[in-house]
Amino acid sequence: MKLKQIALIYCLLMPAAVFALTADEIAQRVDTRDDGDKMISTMEMTLIDKNGNQRIRKMKNHSMDKENETQNVIFFLSPADVRNTAFLTYDYDDSKLDDDQWLYLPALQKTKRIASSDKSSSFMGSDFTYSDMTTRDISDYSYRIVKESKVREDKVWVMESLPKTEKTIEETGYKKSYMFVRQDNFVVVRALHILQEKGKKKYLDVKKLELIEGIWVATEIEMKTTQDKKVLHKTVLKLSDIKFNQDLDSSFFTVRRIEKGL
Amino acid sequence: MADELDEAMSGFDEPIEDELGDFDESGFDDLEFSDNTGEDKAAVLNDADDWYRVSGYGALQFSYNYMQASESTVAPGDMPMDFSGLSSLKLKAGITLDMKHSERWRSKIEAIAWYDSAWAIKGKSKYTDEVLDRYEYFLDIKDAYIQGSLTKNLDIKVGRQKVIWGKSDSIRITDIINPLDNRSPGMVDIEDQRLSELMTRLDYYFGDWGLSGIIIHEPRLEVEPAFGSDYRPSDTFGTPIPYEKFPERENHNWSGSNMQYALSLDGHFTGWDMSYYFARVFDNRFGVEFADTGPVRTIDLINMVGTAGNVALGSWLLKGELALITDINYRSTGRKNRLDALIGVDYMGIKDTVISFEFANRHIFNYEEKMLTMSIEEAVAQSMFPDFVREDSMQMAFRSTYSFDHDNAQINYLLSLAFGNGVGPGFDGGFQRLWVDYKATDAMSLNAGVVHYIAGSSAIPFYRAIANNGRVFSEIKYSF
């Protein structure tokens, strides 16, 4: 008991810096944060061009963690001409392994394998890329804490994230990123991505963060593409009907299931 | 470094309270535009949980022949028909009813119909009944099936449906189950060409594999171009066919002997997929037999064993298909076997771009020269019909698609060429098509393009006969 008291006093007197996390440790904590499993949600993406014209894409998303991968099925609900299109992904934690991706096209009634290690293409025409929609392998980046700051009253670390290889830059399209990591829950609430194209940047902003079944979930995210301080395009992604620990197993994340539909 | 970051940070909507340095907040508002998420403007369709859903489209299609000379003499009996200028002004509609009866059972009915007013505009009396019958109206039940799970691993699907085999996108090797609508070859993509058939299909799943057994009850055949039309002019087979009327195709009734069967085994694995196929289905080639009533075109059943696979390597998708077709009834010689092989590649490493190349070879075993060289006069004199096939006939397809404007627009290009070894020059012909798809709104889409047919110089006359069918085309479509 006495030893414990001494240890506690010692800890309280020590300078805060001793307990500060390193950039790599923060990245690790972000990566290992509990983001739920066997999740079903409805996604609504609003694409807004510079003239204010809007397009809406609605999807039903299902995901499940396996030992070294995340399996994901997205069924497209609208607009009408893409309804019943479905996208199955096995996203491997090891970035050296390419994801397995199959796309079911209802007009063709055919499932097509997609081979693309390039994840810099737009996801459904939005400002999000395929790399934004999948998990990053944290070992592909080097991290540095730029400074501490606040976002909407919450203390954050501003972290610089630099791809270690040209391959990662080519695959994601991002040559550098700054991430704003909330210090209380290790959620990235903002990010700034510097694109390969000169003067282009992307701003990710979590507008709404909710605690659902004990898990922090970004339920409204805005991604804005800018060039030379002018907004080119913007996407608002909203998640609703979020449920964790649903009755999903491996048989759901199959070509059979995407061909059958929702 | 700090300057770059500070300047960049000004792009967020709300300022960041900076504890360590100064911030330039001047840019926040400048970077804003409408914050409206559009919920009140764009229609969000019914939830996926609804038990039924009605969807559909209406479209206006236009095409114009820029190559054909007016008053082309192409019809039987030298009836001059004019296929120049306006080729099509079509009103088209489709409606689909999807029903989800339970978690295990669902059904679908999809019907399409169109009316082409171009014939009325140009004067129906100037065209044969066969042309008008084939090109003026069309009504089709594209799909009408019920599907469900009998057990955890066993599914059933009964009704009119399509079964798509193979890994290729532009050339059919193992994709032989459904017949095609070939009224305007080159004008439509394969997705709009397949015709559904009434089938019973059972699928059993185990591990990474799925085993399908299919019985095709409906003896549906290809929808052909009308004889005398610009896609089957009377010189399609060389010199004009010595018939007033193109021989009728024999009708296949719904009998046990006309039943078709298919079996497939499909596997999906990390980085690659593999399929094995067997089918006994109707051939898409015809012969002519001479019955008491006159010549009749006949269609035979063929057997196919095949395999198809693909491997993903980075941004490359390598594709391969192999099909051994037995018992093909070549009319000039008798039954022979043929081996069809395809290799292909898709490249997706360029942002928003897909490039695809496919090459196929069809090799006839125990080939005889007269299968290519026998003319129609010689064949008819011997109560036969010419085959016009090479020992090795080759086909290549190049396809490229580029998406831009946030996937609202696509530029597509397709080049398809046929050639091979055999007597005389080897280039048979082909076509190329360039078109643009544009989504004006979530519901409204437009497309426009041009198709150009390339005349070959070989003994096979088909592409030469349709070389003047070049068209510009457009469509406006409303989907709901």
Side-chain angles (χ1 to χ4, degrees):
Chain A
M1 185 65 174
K2 196 174 183 182
L3 268 177
K4 275 188 182 174
Q5 281 176 335
I6 292 168
L8 182 63
I9 292 163
Y10 180 76
C11 288
L12 290 171
L13 293 175
M14 283 292 288
V18 171
F19 301 104
L21 294 167
T22 66
D24 286 345
E25 286 168 340
I26 294 167
Q28 187 71 34
R29 295 285 291 272
V30 170
D31 188 52
T32 56
R33 179 180 70 82
D34 183 9
D35 58 356
D37 192 13
K38 298 188 175 180
M39 174 184 166
I40 299 177
S41 63
T42 302
M43 291 163 67
E44 188 182 297
M45 276 196 320
T46 305
L47 282 56
I48 309 166
D49 70 16
K50 58 186 173 188
N51 300 317
N53 299 317
Q54 298 172 356
R55 312 282 171 96
I56 293 185
R57 314 263 180 270
K58 201 171 179 190
M59 293 155 272
K60 198 93 179 175
N61 187 35
H62 306 71
S63 65
M64 185 180 81
D65 295 335
K66 287 190 82 177
E67 194 180 342
N68 294 311
E69 66 192 76
T70 303
Q71 298 186 339
N72 191 263
V73 169
I74 297 174
F75 292 101
F76 296 94
L77 307 177
S78 73
D81 64 341
V82 296
R83 190 179 165 83
N84 294 328
T85 300
F87 191 54
L88 168 65
T89 308
Y90 297 166
D91 178 11
Y92 299 105
D93 295 345
D94 182 353
S95 65
K96 292 182 189 70
L97 284 175
D98 288 329
D99 295 348
D100 280 308
Q101 299 173 96
W102 294 270
L103 183 68
Y104 175 67
L105 300 160
L108 279 169
Q109 296 192 18
K110 182 176 180 176
T111 300
K112 186 166 171 54
R113 178 182 276 274
I114 305 296
S116 184
S117 53
D118 171 26
K119 294 185 174 180
S120 65
S121 292
S122 159
F123 176 74
M124 289 286 287
S126 73
D127 294 85
F128 294 90
T129 63
Y130 283 89
S131 74
D132 296 323
M133 306 300 284
T134 53
T135 51
R136 282 185 173 194
D137 185 342
I138 57 168
S139 66
D140 288 343
Y141 299 85
S142 57
Y143 299 94
R144 185 175 73 85
I145 299 173
V146 178
K147 57 187 174 184
E148 294 187 27
S149 182
K150 274 189 175 179
V151 173
R152 300 186 188 100
E153 303 304 313
D154 297 306
K155 284 186 80 176
V156 295
W157 288 291
V158 179
M159 303 254 296
E160 182 190 73
S161 153
L162 274 176
K164 286 178 181 170
T165 62
E166 277 298 315
K167 182 173 173 271
T168 306
I169 295 174
E170 290 299 322
E171 285 176 1
T172 60
Y174 301 149
K175 62 180 185 182
K176 188 197 287 184
S177 297
Y178 294 99
M179 297 189 299
F180 296 68
V181 181
R182 250 173 72 164
Q183 296 188 1
D184 58 337
N185 57 16
F186 294 93
V187 174
V188 176
V189 288
R190 275 182 175 170
L192 164 64
H193 302 295
I194 314 294
L195 276 72
Q196 282 179 294
E197 295 105 309
K198 199 169 186 304
K200 267 196 174 180
K201 298 182 179 76
K202 280 194 187 179
Y203 293 86
L204 178 147
D205 199 357
V206 174
K207 299 281 189 183
K208 202 181 276 183
L209 186 68
E210 293 180 62
L211 193 61
I212 299 170
E213 298 176 38
I215 295 158
W216 286 105
V217 183
T219 53
E220 185 177 332
I221 308 167
E222 182 188 277
M223 182 73 103
K224 195 160 59 178
T225 306
T226 71
Q227 187 161 32
D228 302 328
K229 290 196 165 187
K230 290 197 177 89
V231 177
L232 303 176
H233 201 269
K234 184 164 98 172
T235 300
V236 178
L237 174 63
K238 289 180 179 176
L239 269 68
S240 59
D241 307 323
I242 299 163
K243 292 170 190 153
F244 292 102
N245 302 313
Q246 295 299 291
D247 185 22
L248 296 173
D249 60 22
S250 293
S251 68
F252 189 89
F253 299 90
T254 58
V255 169
R256 172 194 186 187
R257 197 66 180 79
I258 61 172
E259 289 178 350
K260 208 183 238 184
L262 255 183
Chain B
M1 170 70 71
D3 289 347
E4 179 198 60
L5 177 61
D6 290 347
E7 188 191 343
M9 292 311 166
S10 64
F12 288 110
D13 296 349
E14 297 159 39
I16 295 167
E17 189 182 317
D18 187 44
E19 294 178 336
L20 304 176
D22 294 334
F23 242 138
D24 171 16
E25 298 175 13
S26 60
F28 289 116
D29 294 335
D30 293 345
L31 295 188
E32 262 306 288
F33 56 77
S34 169
D35 202 23
N36 188 342
T37 58
E39 281 173 304
D40 54 343
K41 285 188 180 176
V44 175
L45 299 176
N46 295 345
D47 231 7
D49 298 331
D50 290 346
W51 78 272
Y52 77 95
R53 186 177 188 282
V54 177
S55 57
Y57 65 87
L60 178 66
Q61 297 177 334
F62 161 84
S63 69
Y64 184 91
N65 186 319
Y66 63 87
M67 294 279 288
Q68 193 87 248
S70 61
E71 299 282 297
S72 312
T73 306
V74 289
D78 287 342
M79 175 182 173
M81 290 196 282
D82 182 6
F83 293 103
S84 66
L86 182 67
S87 299
S88 178
L89 188 60
K90 194 183 280 184
L91 278 169
K92 186 176 179 183
I95 190 155
T96 304
L97 172 64
D98 284 296
M99 287 173 285
K100 187 174 177 182
H101 308 287
S102 69
E103 275 307 306
R104 287 183 161 212
W105 292 91
R106 62 196 68 205
S107 57
K108 179 184 177 184
I109 301 171
E110 181 182 359
I112 63 156
W114 51 254
Y115 165 69
D116 195 337
S117 61
W119 307 102
I121 292 169
K122 294 174 82 169
K124 285 161 65 169
S125 60
K126 298 176 187 168
Y127 298 91
T128 60
D129 289 345
E130 190 179 351
V131 166
L132 295 174
D133 286 349
R134 205 66 55 87
Y135 291 101
E136 194 180 17
Y137 298 96
F138 188 60
L139 173 66
D140 189 37
I141 305 294
K142 279 188 88 173
D143 287 309
Y145 59 78
I146 181 163
Q147 68 179 131
S149 298
L150 298 173
T151 69
K152 193 181 175 199
N153 296 325
L154 185 66
D155 291 350
I156 188 169
K157 192 173 178 182
V158 181
R160 248 195 177 186
Q161 58 189 289
K162 299 185 193 84
V163 173
I164 319 300
W165 280 359
K167 309 297 178 194
S168 67
D169 297 309
S170 306
I171 300 176
R172 296 178 96 207
I173 298 293
T174 56
D175 177 26
I176 62 168
I177 300 297
N178 292 90
L180 298 184
D181 181 343
N182 259 335
R183 273 175 284 201
S184 307
M187 279 291 289
V188 280
D189 242 11
I190 189 75
E191 67 187 68
D192 292 322
Q193 273 190 303
R194 292 191 184 92
L195 299 165
S196 295
E197 289 180 294
L198 182 65
M199 308 181 195
T200 301
R201 172 178 175 167
L202 280 169
D203 294 291
Y204 179 71
Y205 297 93
F206 54 101
D208 294 320
W209 295 93
L211 177 68
S212 296
I214 301 162
I215 301 171
I216 304 164
H217 311 284
E218 183 179 1
R220 197 174 188 190
L221 300 176
E222 173 189 289
V223 178
E224 306 171 302
F227 184 56
S229 72
D230 45 355
Y231 282 102
R232 184 172 272 175
S234 56
D235 58 351
T236 305
F237 304 97
T239 51
I241 290 175
Y243 306 123
E244 266 301 299
K245 193 172 181 307
F246 199 51
E248 291 291 336
R249 193 167 59 185
E250 67 175 349
N251 275 325
H252 290 98
N253 53 14
W254 293 47
S255 66
S257 59
N258 285 330
M259 201 90 89
Q260 302 166 81
Y261 306 92
L263 194 66
S264 71
L265 181 65
D266 289 292
H268 302 281
F269 310 96
T270 302
W272 59 288
D273 304 314
M274 198 75 209
S275 301
Y276 300 95
Y277 307 115
F278 166 76
R280 180 167 174 77
V281 293
F282 283 109
D283 195 0
N284 59 4
R285 309 176 66 258
F286 65 82
V288 174
E289 290 178 6
F290 290 81
D292 295 341
T293 51
V296 177
R297 287 187 295 137
T298 56
I299 305 285
D300 279 326
L301 286 163
I302 51 169
N303 300 313
M304 187 274 276
V305 283
T307 183
N310 57 27
V311 183
L313 294 171
S315 295
W316 298 86
L317 183 70
L318 311 180
K319 305 178 282 190
E321 294 193 34
L322 205 60
L324 176 66
I325 303 168
T326 60
D327 270 347
I328 304 176
N329 191 0
Y330 291 106
R331 270 69 188 188
S332 58
T333 59
R335 293 183 183 275
K336 292 183 187 295
N337 298 339
R338 195 180 77 202
L339 184 69
D340 297 356
L342 173 139
I343 52 169
V345 63
D346 290 352
Y347 181 63
M348 304 175 192
I350 302 171
K351 195 176 174 185
D352 300 320
T353 304
V354 181
I355 296 169
S356 169
F357 177 79
E358 292 172 0
F359 176 83
N361 185 65
R362 296 180 172 86
H363 176 81
I364 299 169
F365 295 103
N366 302 316
Y367 182 78
E368 297 172 51
E369 208 169 84
K370 62 182 176 183
M371 297 169 79
L372 177 66
T373 56
M374 181 182 280
S375 70
I376 190 150
E377 293 92 337
E378 289 172 294
V380 170
Q382 297 173 49
S383 298
M384 285 198 296
F385 201 78
D387 289 303
F388 291 125
V389 288
R390 299 175 181 280
E391 181 174 18
D392 284 282
S393 56
M394 298 165 205
Q395 191 180 352
M396 63 138 283
F398 172 82
R399 182 186 286 265
S400 180
T401 300
Y402 171 64
S403 303
F404 59 102
D405 188 22
H406 291 266
D407 278 0
N408 289 324
Q410 267 191 345
I411 296 179
N412 310 275
Y413 176 71
L414 172 64
L415 172 68
S416 176
L417 298 175
F419 50 95
N421 300 315
V423 178
F427 178 54
D428 300 329
F431 69 90
Q432 54 185 332
R433 196 168 79 232
L434 176 70
W435 73 105
V436 180
D437 296 310
Y438 177 68
K439 290 202 72 174
T441 67
D442 277 343
M444 187 77 74
S445 63
L446 311 165
N447 83 34
V450 57
V451 61
H452 173 68
Y453 294 89
I454 304 161
S457 53
S458 76
I460 295 175
F462 172 71
Y463 284 104
R464 282 200 304 280
I466 66 165
N468 288 330
N469 284 357
R471 281 163 161 75
V472 290
F473 58 90
S474 66
E475 180 191 66
I476 180 166
K477 183 175 181 180
Y478 177 80
S479 304
F480 60 92

